[in-house]
Amino acid sequence: MIDAPGVPRFEGSTLVIETGSETETYDSRFFIAVLLVCVAQGDGTISEKETQKMLQLVGEHFNLESAESLALIMRAMTNLADNPDLNNILRQLSTVLDDQEKEDVAIMLLKVVAADGKADVDEMEMVSTAGEIINITPEIMHKAFDRYFAETRVD
């Protein structure tokens, strides 16, 4: 029998959810990895280039070794498949992000979309959905697009 989860609580920036038999913890690294995976799967598949980009982005953003980045992305994929309440968990975790961090996340999402050389409509819709889930305002998203295009502009 599956125990009902208790009331989620924050310990610092880590979200803790306890059931009678176990405790699950979610941090901002996990949170960002889940969003990246959601966007990459937006078109139905995750390409090798998208996987490489996600590993690079989480590795650079969190100063992780490649094995740690891979474990984080794999945990995100597994939890997406196994956890029907993940959107609510993501909403709660988003409260620990400030506007600059949300802008950084938005740029990472855009980089995943562009990783395979095509901006798929479904993936862009997932960027929008991810933005709604973590409360990225239109102003922050606009700044993210400006920054993304400035960083990727070819002179």
Side-chain angles (χ1 to χ4, degrees):
M1 179 175 170
I2 298 173
D3 297 324
V7 176
R9 70 178 187 283
F10 279 100
E11 292 180 1
S13 63
T14 301
L15 181 66
V16 178
I17 301 175
E18 293 180 350
T19 64
S21 59
E22 64 182 65
T23 300
E24 293 186 42
T25 59
Y26 301 93
D27 62 9
S28 60
R29 289 188 240 185
F30 170 77
F31 165 70
I32 290 170
V34 167
L35 293 173
L36 295 175
V37 170
C38 284
V39 167
Q41 311 186 292
D43 63 357
T45 61
I46 299 176
S47 72
E48 182 179 335
K49 289 180 180 180
E50 289 169 331
T51 301
Q52 291 171 352
K53 181 54 77 175
M54 288 187 292
L55 292 170
Q56 174 198 354
L57 291 168
V58 297
E60 289 174 359
H61 191 77
F62 297 114
N63 296 314
L64 300 175
E65 297 294 324
S66 59
E68 292 174 297
S69 296
L70 180 59
L72 181 60
I73 295 297
M74 294 304 295
R75 179 178 176 218
M77 288 179 179
T78 301
N79 270 271
L80 273 171
D82 295 344
N83 195 338
D85 196 37
L86 201 53
N87 282 354
N88 288 330
I89 293 169
L90 293 174
R91 279 187 182 86
Q92 290 177 13
L93 280 169
S94 74
T95 63
V96 301
L97 298 178
D98 63 25
D99 287 351
Q100 183 60 55
E101 291 168 318
K102 288 179 182 181
E103 183 180 329
D104 292 344
V105 169
I107 290 171
M108 291 174 24
L109 297 174
L110 294 171
K111 288 179 178 181
V112 169
V113 169
D116 60 5
K118 54 186 177 181
D120 185 84
V121 171
D122 293 327
E123 289 177 341
M124 289 305 295
E125 284 181 15
M126 283 305 301
V127 169
S128 178
T129 299
E132 290 171 13
I133 290 171
I134 65 170
N135 196 28
I136 296 177
T137 64
E139 293 80 20
I140 292 171
M141 189 59 81
H142 182 75
K143 287 168 69 175
F145 271 100
D146 286 348
R147 252 181 69 198
Y148 172 78
F149 287 119
E151 289 175 11
T152 59
R153 180 179 49 215
V154 179
D155 292 323

